[in-house]
Amino acid sequence: MSSLAISLSPPSTDISTGLLSSLLGPNWWLLATGQAPAGAGSILAHMFSIFDIALLMYVSALLVYQATVGGMATAHEGTPLGKRYHSVWAPIRGPAAFAMLFPLPWAKGLALIQCIALLAVYWGVGVAADVWNGFVPEIPKMS
């Protein structure tokens, strides 16, 4: 068996990162750290930041609705948030959704969940390349 080194960075010749680079700009994975690429990547990051603000307004309205209904249900039924909402998870789920959708200043306006998704794609491609490169040399030994 060959070495078991795992690199989270895909090789520079990887086709999938090349396709994503043509869509998001060169070094698109650096959007999560605030080093937005010039050109298409910065334009797309700006579009995502506008979309995130609109989505954040929608989620804020849902959280206000949930808090209002929860408060009224508490007054009516006598249990925290009523019987409709879970008294532990509903207060956690709301702020967590808000935090995941809030634009990050260092990420050129991308939300935390988008940064996590970008890095997961980049690292996933790197691990997939390592798995493939570890598997292919072993094929001749199987027969």
Side-chain angles (χ1 to χ4, degrees):
M1 219 170 179
S2 61
S3 71
L4 296 174
I6 295 177
S7 169
L8 294 177
S9 299
S12 60
T13 58
D14 189 76
I15 295 172
S16 59
T17 54
L19 290 172
L20 286 168
S21 292
S22 65
L23 176 66
L24 300 174
N27 299 329
W28 53 270
W29 56 91
L30 296 178
L31 282 169
T33 62
Q35 302 169 1
S42 62
I43 294 169
L44 199 61
H46 183 67
M47 287 174 38
F48 275 140
S49 68
I50 294 170
F51 176 74
D52 290 342
I53 291 170
L55 192 60
L56 192 61
M57 290 185 329
Y58 175 71
V59 169
S60 297
L62 286 177
L63 289 177
V64 168
Y65 170 77
Q66 180 183 6
T68 304
V69 170
M72 291 187 328
T74 300
H76 183 264
E77 297 171 10
T79 59
L81 297 177
K83 293 183 173 95
R84 182 174 175 199
Y85 295 120
H86 195 277
S87 62
V88 174
W89 291 112
I92 293 173
R93 189 172 47 237
F98 192 79
M100 288 291 208
L101 293 174
F102 196 78
L104 300 174
W106 67 85
K108 306 293 186 203
L110 291 178
L112 179 61
I113 193 69
Q114 291 168 328
C115 292
I116 291 170
L118 279 175
L119 290 175
V121 167
Y122 182 70
W123 292 335
V125 168
V127 170
D130 288 339
V131 168
W132 183 254
N133 292 334
F135 172 72
V136 170
E138 300 297 322
I139 293 175
K141 298 175 187 175
M142 293 178 153
S143 58

